[in-house]
Amino acid sequence: MSQHRVDVTIVGAGPAGLYAATYAGFRNLTVAIVDALSEPGGQVTALYPEKVIHDIAGFPAVTGRELVEGCVRQASAHHPTFLLGQVAEGFTRHDDGSFTLTTDHDEVVDCRAVIIAVGLGRFSPRRLPGAEPFEGHGLVYLVRDLETMRDHDLLVVGGGDSAVDWALTFEPIARSVTLIHRRASFRAHEGPLQRLFASGVEVLTDTEVDRIVGDEDAGTIEAVEVVSTDSGERRRLGVTKVLAALGFHADLGPVAKWPLTFEGRQLPVNRRMETDVPGVYAIGDVTTYDGKLRLVSVAFGEAVVAANHVAAYLDPSVRVFPGYQNA
Amino acid sequence: MTDLEVDLTIIGAGPTGLYAAYYAGFRGLSTAVIDSLSEPGGQVTALYPEKDIFDVAGFPSVKGKELIDRLVEQAAPFDPNYLLGHRADDLLPHDDGSFTITTSHDDEVRTKAVLITGGIGHFTPRPLPDADHYEGRGLVYFVRALESMRDDHVLIVGGGDSAVDWALNLEGIARSITLIHRRDRFRAHEDSVAKLLASSVEVLTYTEVATIEGDHGIEGVEVFDNRTDERRLLPVNKVVAALGFKSDLGPLKTWDIVIDGRNILVDTRMQTTLQGVFAAGDITEYDGKVRLISVGFGEAATAVNNAAVYIDPTARVFPGHSSG
C-alpha cells in the first residue's frame, strides 16, 4: 500500500483525462491519474491505436497511438503520478470537503478535487454469435497491428463509424475489403461514408453473417457465408479474415456506485463540468447535458474547462482564467 | 455580387471557425467562411504566428502559423467557400428558418444556419501612451517574426500571457530581455510565470515606462517604480508593448441575438437566442466559460453537430445518420 497526496485525482487516463492532467499542470496543481488499463489512452489505445483519426483539431490525419503519445508527452511535462492497471474503487468525501480514493491495488490517494474521465467505462466488444472457434485467429474485434491484415481478403462486419473507418483503413493494405451491414442505413459520419462508397471497398447492405467456414481447430478462415436479410439469398465470400465491428458493451465499474447522481450511465454536469457533489467534476464521454457530443475534441474542451474551474475551486483567490500569479 | 447558397455560414476564420469548417464538411454540410481579415487564422495569424502554443491537445508544442496551416489543410477536402477580406454586415432571417447574410462587399450568402466564431471581434492593440513616434522604429505591439528581434536588447511591457510568452519565446534570440509590469501579479498561466521567473529574463514588477529615448530609433527606455518613483534607464533598442487589445464586435451588435457586453450568450448546444444562429469560441459567454483555444474547438464541434440537426431535423446530433 502506498499513500499519495495531490490536489486533484483524475479517474481515467484516456485523452480527456490526460489533457485535464496537462491543464491542471499548467495551473500548477499536483495530479494523480488512475486507470484500470495498464497503458494510458483509454478507448483510443485499447480499441483503435492504429486507426487514422481525422477529427482532432489541427491534425488532418493522426493515428490513435500518435494522438495518445502527444497527450502523454504533454501531461508528463508536469509529472503527474500515474496509477495505471488499477481500478479506483473506494470514494470517501470528508467533512472538510477533501476526498480519499482507494484502488484495488490498495493505493490510497488523498486529494481535494476529483475529475471523473472514465469514458464509457470498461468495455468489451460485442461478439459475433457462434464464431468462438475463430476468435483471436481469423476473427478479430479490433486490430492492434495493421500489418496482420496485409494481403488478406478481409470482411468487415458492421455499420457504425468503426466499421467504416476500419474498412477505409485496410483498403490499401488488405488484398480486398468487403463490408457487410445488416441494414441499409449506416450509423456513421457522412464524410467517411462518402469516401467508403467512392473507395474500392465492396459494400453489401441488408446482409449478415450466416456461417464462417474454415479450420475450427486452427481458427483459420477459408470463406464466410452471408445471407441477405431481404431476400434470404445466400452468398459465399472468399475471405480469410473477419473484423467484426459490432460495438462494445460498456461497464462503468465501481464509479457507478459512488455517491453521485447518474442518469443511466452518464453523469449530468453543469457548464463548469461540476457534478452534483462539490469538488467532483466530470468530463468526456461519461458526461451528459443538452446537445452533448461524444467526441474527442469536445472532451478536450471539457477537460480544459474542468481543470481551470478546479484551480479556482481549490484556491478561490485565483481566477478561473487566466490565473493571477504573484511574482 | 456573388450569390452563394450554403448549408452553414461561419463568421470568423480563426482556429475555431476553421475547425468548424472542417467539422461541417465532415457532416456533409457545405460552408461559407467569412472573415474581415485577408488571411485565415484570426488572432493567431495576426498577433502571434511564430509563438509556440503549448495548450492545443495532442501538440506538446506548435507554432501559431503551423496550427493555422494544419487547420486550413484539415478543412480543405470539403472545399469551404472562403470570403476573406469581407465583413459580415447584415443578417436577414427568412420564414423558412434560413438566413441571408450580406457582406461588406455586398455579396449575399443564403444559408440554412449560421455559426459565429468571431473571437474578440475586430481588434486593435492598446497603445503605449505618448509613444506613437516610435511605432515601426523599434516599438511593436506584437511580434510577427521572432527573427526580427535577433541580437536586440528587448523590453517587454505587460503582465498577461502574451507578455510572458513573448519573453520566453525570445530567449536565445534576443541578446537581453527585460519584462516590466506595473503590478506584481501576472495575468498569465501559473506554469508560464514559474518558467519566466526561472529564466534569464529580467523581471521588474511595479514598474512602468516613463519615456522612450532616441531621436530616430529607440536608444533606451526610462522606467520608474510606481511605489517609490525611483527612475532607471534601461539600455534597450526594441520595445514590445503587450498591453492587450481593444476590440469591437462591429455589425454583429445590431443582429437580433442577445449580447452580454462583448460576448454572445449561448445554450449548451452553442445556439444563440436566435434559432439557427450558433456561436463558438472566445465570442461566447455562459456560466463557467473559459476562453482558451481547446475550448473553442470543442464548442465548434458541438455547435456544428447541433446545427446539422437544425438544418435537417431528421439528422442525428451524433454520429450522423446517412443512407447507404
Side-chain angles (χ1 to χ4, degrees):
Chain A
M1 168 181 149
S2 58
Q3 188 111 16
H4 308 270
R5 179 175 294 276
V6 294
D7 292 322
V8 56
T9 304
I10 298 169
V11 184
L18 291 170
Y19 195 50
T22 300
Y23 232 98
F26 283 138
R27 300 302 306 259
N28 267 2
L29 303 177
T30 54
V31 174
I33 312 180
V34 186
D35 199 295
L37 300 174
S38 57
E39 287 176 79
Q43 289 176 61
V44 177
T45 299
L47 307 184
Y48 49 93
E50 296 288 347
K51 199 165 84 172
V52 178
I53 311 173
H54 298 282
D55 69 340
I56 307 296
F59 290 97
V62 63
T63 64
R65 188 189 307 283
E66 288 165 347
L67 177 66
V68 168
E69 276 170 9
C71 290
V72 168
R73 272 169 59 205
Q74 267 178 314
S76 299
H78 307 285
H79 309 295
T81 302
F82 280 102
L83 301 173
L84 299 177
Q86 340 198 358
V87 178
E89 285 184 338
F91 172 95
T92 308
R93 186 171 194 267
H94 304 289
D95 290 343
D96 66 355
S98 68
F99 301 89
T100 300
L101 269 56
T102 54
T103 75
D104 63 345
H105 285 36
D106 289 331
E107 302 264 3
V108 177
V109 186
D110 293 313
C111 56
R112 296 189 295 138
V114 177
I115 298 176
I116 298 174
V118 295
L120 306 173
R122 290 179 284 184
F123 28 83
S124 47
R126 278 183 214 280
R127 297 165 68 188
L128 196 64
E132 290 82 4
F134 303 101
E135 285 177 350
H137 300 284
L139 166 65
V140 294
Y141 296 108
L142 50 100
V143 183
R144 299 191 62 116
D145 178 3
L146 297 184
E147 285 301 315
T148 56
M149 297 294 174
R150 183 168 295 280
D151 296 334
H152 278 280
D153 293 298
L154 170 67
L155 174 65
V156 177
V157 185
D161 273 310
S162 207
V164 172
D165 290 349
W166 281 126
L168 290 170
T169 300
F170 286 116
E171 192 209 358
I173 296 170
R175 186 159 57 198
S176 74
V177 179
T178 308
L179 182 145
I180 67 170
H181 179 38
R182 65 195 163 91
R183 301 175 189 280
S185 61
F186 284 80
R187 273 179 71 98
H189 281 83
E190 286 87 344
L193 263 186
Q194 283 166 13
R195 288 209 304 278
L196 177 72
F197 287 105
S199 76
V201 175
E202 185 183 4
V203 179
L204 304 174
T205 55
D206 297 308
T207 300
E208 54 191 15
V209 170
D210 184 53
R211 184 167 86 88
I212 298 181
V213 180
D215 181 340
E216 300 205 353
D217 295 325
T220 54
I221 294 174
E222 288 156 22
V224 174
E225 285 181 10
V226 298
V227 58
S228 163
T229 55
D230 262 359
S231 61
E233 190 189 332
R234 282 163 194 285
R235 194 170 153 183
R236 191 181 170 100
L237 303 176
V239 298
T240 49
K241 290 278 185 185
V242 177
L243 169 53
L246 304 170
F248 292 86
H249 292 286
D251 175 13
L252 285 183
V255 168
K257 302 202 168 53
W258 292 3
L260 303 161
T261 303
F262 283 84
E263 262 178 37
R265 285 186 299 209
Q266 258 98 44
L267 280 168
V269 287
N270 65 18
R271 301 198 85 161
R272 300 162 183 253
M273 309 315 293
E274 292 169 324
T275 68
D276 64 333
V277 174
V280 181
Y281 297 72
I283 58 175
D285 286 359
V286 77
T287 67
T288 185
Y289 50 82
D290 182 45
K292 164 77 185 182
L293 269 295
R294 291 198 168 75
L295 296 172
V296 175
S297 54
V298 172
F300 284 147
E302 292 175 356
V304 173
V305 172
N308 282 286
H309 282 286
V310 165
Y313 171 79
L314 294 179
D315 180 358
S317 76
V318 308
R319 307 260 300 233
V320 171
F321 177 82
Y324 281 83
Q325 182 73 354
N326 287 311
Chain B
M1 161 169 157
T2 322
D3 273 320
L4 198 56
E5 230 180 287
V6 295
D7 294 320
L8 181 68
T9 298
I10 296 163
I11 300 170
T16 299
L18 293 172
Y19 185 56
Y22 158 75
Y23 223 99
F26 189 53
R27 286 295 311 242
L29 305 176
S30 59
T31 56
V33 182
I34 302 175
D35 199 298
S36 58
L37 300 174
S38 57
E39 288 175 79
Q43 292 174 61
V44 177
T45 300
L47 308 180
Y48 49 93
E50 295 215 359
K51 200 164 86 172
D52 290 316
I53 306 175
F54 300 104
D55 66 342
V56 176
F59 289 99
S61 169
V62 62
K63 293 217 181 289
K65 183 177 182 334
E66 188 194 346
L67 177 67
I68 297 304
D69 287 346
R70 297 178 66 126
L71 288 164
V72 169
E73 182 192 339
Q74 199 166 15
F78 304 108
D79 294 321
N81 295 284
Y82 286 103
L83 298 174
L84 298 178
H86 289 238
R87 194 179 58 225
D89 279 349
D90 294 313
L91 176 76
L92 176 68
H94 299 290
D95 289 341
D96 65 356
S98 69
F99 304 87
T100 296
I101 290 171
T102 311
T103 78
S104 52
H105 290 33
D106 279 337
D107 282 4
E108 286 190 357
V109 182
R110 180 78 179 234
T111 186
K112 293 176 186 161
V114 178
L115 173 55
I116 304 171
T117 52
I120 57 173
H122 305 275
F123 44 85
T124 46
R126 276 181 208 287
L128 193 66
D130 304 322
D132 42 334
H133 172 68
Y134 293 99
E135 283 173 22
R137 298 182 189 185
L139 168 65
V140 295
Y141 292 104
F142 45 88
V143 185
R144 288 198 59 133
L146 294 173
E147 282 300 318
S148 66
M149 301 275 166
R150 180 160 297 278
D151 296 333
D152 284 325
H153 296 278
V154 180
L155 173 66
I156 294 171
V157 186
D161 269 308
S162 281
V164 173
D165 289 348
W166 284 130
L168 292 172
N169 273 269
L170 286 168
E171 253 201 311
I173 293 173
R175 186 162 302 166
S176 74
I177 306 166
T178 309
L179 183 147
I180 68 170
H181 180 36
R182 64 194 163 91
R183 296 151 36 95
D184 73 335
R185 283 163 77 77
F186 287 84
R187 266 182 78 105
H189 284 69
E190 286 89 339
D191 182 59
S192 306
V193 175
K195 281 194 189 125
L196 176 73
L197 298 177
S199 75
S200 65
V201 175
E202 186 180 8
V203 177
L204 305 173
T205 56
Y206 294 112
T207 301
E208 300 178 40
V209 170
T211 54
I212 298 180
E213 312 277 333
D215 292 333
H216 300 288
I218 295 173
E219 286 159 23
V221 174
E222 191 179 55
V223 298
F224 68 100
D225 184 311
N226 59 25
R227 297 164 301 184
T228 61
D229 214 28
E230 187 189 333
R231 279 165 192 263
R232 178 171 167 187
L233 184 68
L234 301 175
V236 300
N237 63 330
K238 289 280 171 70
V239 175
V240 181
L243 304 170
F245 294 88
K246 290 192 290 194
S247 64
D248 179 11
L249 288 188
L252 295 182
K253 283 183 295 198
T254 65
W255 293 12
D256 191 20
I257 51 178
V258 174
I259 289 177
D260 174 20
R262 281 184 301 209
N263 299 110
I264 299 172
L265 297 184
V266 288
D267 63 19
T268 55
R269 296 167 181 267
M270 306 312 293
Q271 187 164 240
T272 70
T273 50
L274 183 59
Q275 289 262 317
V277 179
F278 295 78
D282 284 358
I283 203 164
T284 65
E285 178 62 26
Y286 51 81
D287 174 56
K289 169 74 184 180
V290 178
R291 287 193 172 75
L292 291 169
I293 206 162
S294 296
V295 178
F297 290 146
E299 290 176 354
T302 298
V304 167
N305 283 288
N306 282 287
V309 178
Y310 175 82
I311 291 166
D312 175 5
T314 68
R316 299 167 66 129
V317 177
F318 179 85
H321 188 89
S322 296
S323 229

